[in-house]
Amino acid sequence: MSKFPSLSAHPEMVEVLTAHPEGFGPLFEYHDAILRGPSPLSVAERELIAAYVSGLNQCQFCFDTHRISAETHGVDLETFDTLIADPAAAGIEERLLPLLAYARKLTLTPTSMSDADAAAVYAAGWDEKALFHTISVTGLFNLMTRLVAGTGITANPTAQQSIRERIAKDRNNPSPYADFAKRIRAAGERAILGDAMVGRE
C-alpha cells in the first residue's frame, strides 16, 4: 500500500506535488537560485554535487535526475560509475575534491564539521561563496531525499528518456525548476477542473 492511500502505490513526483502543492513553488524557486543563479561553481559542478549527495543518501530518483542534468551540462557519463565510492577515482577535477569531501561529511556526519574542512576548500582556491553554495546544494538535496523517501516517490525507468528530453530542452533556461513547478500546478488545476466538470454531469 502507498504511504498515501489516495495516491498510487509508487507515486511519481508530479502526482505528489499535485496532491500536496503547499510550499513547492518557493522550494523550486530556491532550486533555481542555488543551481542556476550566479555562482563561482558552474551549473555542471552544482548538478554534480546534487547527484553526489543524492547518491550518498541512496536516493535513486534524485541521483538519476541530477546525473542526467550534470551530463547535459557537460559532465562525462563515466564519472558516475565510481563517483559515490571514490570521487578521485571517478576522474573528478582535483580542485573539486575538497568541495565533495565537505558535502560528504555534511551529509553523513553533519555534527562533525570543523574549521579544517573549510580550510581545505580555501586551500584549493575556492572562496567563501563557493563554500556556501556547496553547503546550500548539499542541504537542499538532503531535504529533497527526505521528501522523496518520506512520500514514497520512486524512480521510473520508463521516464528516463522524457526526463532527459525535458532537461535538454531547459539547458539554457535560468528557471527550469520553477517552470517545472508551474507546469505541475497547472496540470493539477486542470485535473481538479476536470473532476468538477465530471461531477456536474
Side-chain angles (χ1 to χ4, degrees), residues 31-132:
H31 274 68
D32 287 328
I34 295 303
L35 294 169
R36 294 294 184 277
S39 175
L41 300 171
S42 69
V43 171
E45 289 165 342
R46 284 173 280 174
E47 289 287 357
L48 177 71
I49 295 169
Y52 182 59
V53 170
S54 301
L56 291 173
N57 281 319
Q58 299 179 35
C59 179
Q60 196 64 43
F61 176 85
C62 291
F63 178 76
D64 286 345
T65 300
H66 295 281
R67 173 183 56 80
I68 291 170
S69 190
E71 290 172 19
T72 299
H73 286 87
V75 177
D76 290 338
L77 175 62
E78 294 77 12
T79 297
F80 297 93
D81 293 340
T82 57
L83 174 66
I84 308 306
D86 188 351
I92 297 296
E93 182 184 355
E94 187 173 353
R95 188 168 178 248
L96 282 174
L97 294 178
L99 294 179
L100 294 181
Y102 202 101
R104 183 184 188 91
K105 191 172 181 180
L106 185 57
T107 297
L108 301 179
T109 56
T111 60
S112 68
M113 301 305 301
S114 70
D115 293 346
D117 299 313
V121 170
Y122 299 140
W126 298 105
D127 61 12
E128 291 184 9
K129 186 65 73 177
L131 176 58
F132 183 75

Side-chain angles (χ1 to χ4, degrees), residues 122-141:
Y122 299 140
W126 298 105
D127 61 12
E128 291 184 9
K129 186 65 73 177
L131 176 58
F132 183 75
H133 284 184
T134 298
I135 293 167
S136 299
V137 174
T138 302
L140 175 58
F141 284 91

